[in-house]
Amino acid sequence: MPLGRGPQPLAARSRPACKTRALQTATSAFLELDDDSGKARFPGTGANGSAPSDANLAVGPNHIVQIVNTEFAVYNKNGTIFAGYPKAIGPLFTNLGGSCTGQWGDPIVQYDKAADRWLISQLGNFSAPFTECIAVSQTNDPTGFYNLYSYNFDPNFNDYPKFGVWPTATNSAYTATYNLFLNGGALCRFGALRV
């Protein structure tokens, strides 16, 4: 899925100053709005100057949620963005207060098929105390209300989180791995989250 505004006319593009064998010298047709089988393609949320973009996407039965650095957007399955999106991630965590309401990045979005819920997370901050902010939707609607959680990792910076859904017989558990800078890596299981 292309990110940003999509292709620009050739006159508006700037050419790189360096020579590379990967440089395209021939033009091709612009991206189509749908593929040959009629499935929608659409531009996603841009990185807003952040690098790396930390782009992440999850697909549920009726929605597509994309999260990039400090924003997230909700689309229907035809690629139409919902009104009011993209939105900043920090305000999603307003009721937690503290550093979770900031725009810290390393965001993750997951769809939990077994519970029919959405999980959104972001770093809590870049300086101590280090936290992870997690939101689990209260229904299958990613534009609705979320149960909110904050986990303390102090004194370790919990960088580069990766989440997964681990369905069990009675309830889904969410797992995460982190690069913990003072003590190496960690595997965490968040089984007590309310879904």
Side-chain angles (χ1 to χ4, degrees), residues 38-136:
K39 294 180 182 172
R41 285 195 272 193
F42 54 94
T45 301
N48 296 324
S50 299
S53 70
D54 292 335
N56 194 263
L57 179 123
V59 178
N62 301 308
H63 302 89
I64 300 169
V65 178
Q66 184 195 17
I67 197 162
V68 179
N69 292 99
T70 59
E71 292 185 326
F72 72 106
V74 179
Y75 302 86
N76 67 23
K77 287 291 206 68
N78 293 318
T80 303
I81 193 167
F82 279 66
Y85 287 90
K87 290 184 177 183
I89 300 168
L92 177 66
F93 295 98
T94 297
N95 289 339
L96 280 178
S99 63
C100 280
T101 61
Q103 310 294 347
W104 300 107
D106 276 0
I108 299 291
V109 61
Q110 290 282 313
Y111 174 69
D112 179 349
K113 184 177 179 180
D116 198 21
R117 298 290 184 267
W118 297 87
L119 178 142
I120 293 177
S121 74
Q122 74 163 352
L123 292 178
N125 45 358
F126 292 139
S127 59
F130 301 109
T131 57
E132 182 74 21
C133 311
I134 301 171
V136 178

